[in-house]
Amino acid sequence: RNVMSRREIPATFLCPISCEVMKEPTLAADGHVYERVCMEQWLQTGARTSPVTNQRLAHTTLTPVHAIKSMIADFIEETRDLGGALDSDDSR
C-alpha cells in the first residue's frame, strides 16, 4: 500500500461531492471548496443549492483557491518524499 493509505489526508483537501483529493479547488457561493469539475457538473444539472448545506446559492461564480491547491501539491510532494508512489491518479 502507498503512504497515502497510512497517512491521513486532511479533510480540507477532499471534495465534499466526490470525496477525492481536489486538483482544482474552487470556492462556491456557500463558502465551501469543491473540485471545479464536480461543482460545474452539479450546476449543469440545474441545481442552485449548496451540495453541503442545501441552502440556495447567491450566485454560481466559482473562484479558484490557489492556497489550498498549493497545500495539496505540498502534501503530495511530502508523501512522495516519504516513499509513497502518489501521483494524480492515486489520489482518486
Side-chain angles (χ1 to χ4, degrees):
R1 302 188 79 133
N2 67 30
V3 173
M4 289 301 286
S5 63
R6 294 185 304 245
R7 185 171 179 204
E8 186 175 331
I9 301 169
T12 54
F13 295 174
L14 301 176
C15 172
I17 297 172
S18 69
C19 298
E20 295 179 2
V21 176
M22 294 181 282
K23 295 178 182 157
E24 294 294 328
T26 305
L27 181 68
D30 62 356
H32 292 277
V33 178
Y34 303 91
E35 173 61 42
R36 175 174 290 281
V37 172
C38 293
M39 193 59 184
E40 286 173 344
Q41 290 173 346
W42 176 265
L43 295 171
Q44 286 172 1
T45 69
R48 292 299 178 261
T49 58
S50 163
V52 172
T53 66
N54 206 31
Q55 298 289 320
R56 182 153 182 82
L57 296 171
H59 58 79
T60 58
T61 302
L62 301 175
T63 306
V65 185
H66 301 290
I68 292 178
K69 185 174 182 176
S70 294
M71 290 167 50
I72 291 170
D74 290 346
F75 178 82
I76 291 171
E77 188 61 34
E78 288 171 13
T79 300
R80 283 191 186 125
D81 291 346
L82 292 173
L86 179 69
D87 63 27
S88 59
D89 290 335
D90 291 334
S91 63
R92 290 185 205 165

